[in-house]
Amino acid sequence: MILVNKMTSPENTVYFIAAVLNGILNECGNLDYSELYKALLKKIHKTKFNTNTFTLAVDFLFLLDKISINKEGKIYVSKNTAFGSE
């Protein structure tokens, strides 16, 4: 779910998860896909999360050019969009 409606809470939207993921990557540097998923679970205090929403959030950040992927498959915050670089 991208937007909030009566059937979902704001914490389960792509926008919210993308914001949390961006914060995690700003703090931790580069992580692979599974490490990022585990960091998300720890940050939002859940044991399980919808992987489709997680994948959509990662895709959303990639399309906005907020994150990039290196040759080793690690996901990181793009240099030109890192927090505080403006």
Side-chain angles (χ1 to χ4, degrees):
M1 183 67 34
I2 293 177
L3 299 174
V4 178
N5 62 24
K6 292 180 182 181
M7 302 300 291
T8 186
S9 66
E11 295 83 24
N12 292 331
T13 63
V14 171
Y15 292 133
F16 178 82
I17 299 304
V20 173
L21 292 176
N22 195 41
I24 291 169
L25 289 168
N26 275 324
E27 292 172 6
C28 298
N30 58 6
L31 300 169
D32 68 22
Y33 190 80
S34 62
E35 291 170 337
L36 187 57
Y37 181 76
K38 290 175 187 174
L40 173 69
L41 293 177
K42 185 176 178 183
K43 188 81 162 183
I44 62 174
H45 307 292
K46 290 189 177 184
T47 56
K48 199 173 184 184
F49 189 77
N50 184 344
T51 54
N52 290 334
T53 305
F54 172 73
T55 302
L56 287 172
V58 171
D59 290 345
F60 181 68
L61 290 172
F62 184 78
L63 290 171
L64 289 177
D65 200 28
K66 297 291 183 186
I67 61 173
S68 297
I69 302 170
N70 64 17
K71 291 180 183 180
E72 291 83 32
K74 299 281 186 172
I75 302 168
Y76 63 94
V77 175
S78 297
K79 299 252 189 255
N80 59 346
T81 60
F83 181 73
S85 66
E86 286 96 33

